[in-house]
Amino acid sequence: MKNAIKTYNMYHSIWDTLLFGLAAPIVIIIVHFFITLGLVEGATGITLCYTMIAEIFRDYFSFNGAYSSDSHNTILRSSFYGKRTFINGIMQEHARNFVHYVLVIGICSVITAFADHYDPYYIPIKVIVVLIAYTMNTLAVNVVRYFGTFTIYPIISTPFVILTIIPVVFLTALGIRFDALKLGIFMLVALVLGIIVTIISYLHASHSYDKSFLDVVSRRS
């Protein structure tokens, strides 16, 4: 746990934590409270859109350009545990991201339940929503980490946000209800995709770190 905290602090400043880890979720939850009075479950898509944008933008302040050919991880390479620290930082960020979605969507779901009425049907739906958001967010940051310019982030992240919102709106806002079997299949598929993307992200981080050595060697030669 102590090493995990050190790794987190290495990649996240206090301002990053206060802005994106505290202020942004509070604002999003407050906004959800007001829009859910009229949209009920339809507010989930809007809330998720804002949450995902904030999470992808937050990645810029921690890992921008981490996978680019210009990022050589020079400080980490001076340590015997450099690669492990780098990969731990990446994977801890994915774990933090998943927990963030669980908390925000969970709190907003409770607000929606009190604002309208409690419907247990939406419990597995929200689990699927969290898994979809986490999977698409992980895919998005694996792409934007090749760029060190903030203006690129909105351009690249927008398609991932749209692809996330489409199934979420389909599941929550259109009034379509699925039987337990279909919900189970959807949840299983979302879970498997989340696991696959996480594994790919781990391998991608490892490959990018190793490749930074080759880029330096090729440039010198």
Side-chain angles (χ1 to χ4, degrees):
M1 180 60 71
K2 188 176 181 180
N3 289 334
I5 294 174
K6 287 182 178 180
T7 302
Y8 176 87
N9 290 333
M10 185 176 73
Y11 286 104
H12 294 277
S13 68
I14 182 65
W15 301 111
D16 161 33
T17 302
L18 290 175
L19 179 60
F20 292 100
L22 184 63
I26 290 176
V27 172
I28 289 172
I29 290 171
I30 292 174
V31 171
H32 178 88
F33 172 78
F34 287 104
I35 63 177
T36 196
L37 297 176
L39 298 177
V40 194
E41 290 295 342
T44 302
I46 299 174
T47 301
L48 190 62
C49 178
Y50 288 133
T51 304
M52 191 170 180
I53 291 173
E55 281 295 280
I56 295 175
F57 283 6
R58 179 181 188 176
D59 196 80
Y60 170 82
F61 298 97
S62 305
F63 297 100
N64 74 87
Y67 294 164
S68 71
S69 58
D70 295 324
S71 177
H72 304 308
N73 302 298
T74 51
I75 297 178
L76 291 175
R77 286 214 307 266
S78 65
S79 170
F80 181 76
Y81 300 104
K83 182 177 181 179
R84 188 174 72 178
T85 301
F86 177 73
I87 293 178
N88 284 346
I90 295 292
M91 301 313 294
Q92 282 179 206
E93 180 64 9
H94 292 326
R96 183 210 58 77
N97 177 254
F98 178 78
V99 172
H100 184 88
Y101 279 113
V102 170
L103 291 177
V104 173
I105 298 301
I107 293 173
C108 290
S109 298
V110 172
I111 293 174
T112 300
F114 277 101
D116 185 48
H117 65 279
Y118 173 69
D119 189 349
Y121 169 79
Y122 285 100
I123 294 178
I125 291 293
K126 296 305 172 62
V127 174
I128 297 172
V129 166
V130 168
L131 291 171
I132 292 174
Y134 165 76
T135 299
M136 296 306 296
N137 193 109
T138 304
L139 287 174
V141 296
N142 270 275
V143 176
V144 296
R145 284 172 184 164
Y146 278 97
F147 304 92
T149 306
F150 183 76
T151 53
I152 298 294
Y153 273 58
I155 298 173
I156 295 180
S157 62
T158 297
F160 291 96
V161 175
I162 293 175
L163 289 174
T164 303
I165 299 304
I166 291 175
V168 170
V169 170
F170 182 76
L171 290 170
T172 61
L174 299 183
I176 302 174
R177 299 178 77 93
F178 300 94
D179 56 42
L181 177 60
K182 290 181 180 178
L183 286 179
I185 294 174
F186 290 157
M187 190 181 302
L188 179 61
V189 171
L191 177 62
V192 171
L193 288 177
I195 293 174
I196 292 175
V197 167
T198 302
I199 294 173
I200 292 175
S201 184
Y202 174 87
L203 297 175
H204 187 197
S206 177
H207 172 73
S208 296
Y209 184 87
D210 293 338
K211 188 174 180 294
S212 67
F213 288 79
L214 299 178
D215 288 335
V216 173
V217 172
S218 63
R219 289 188 180 187
R220 287 179 177 176
S221 60

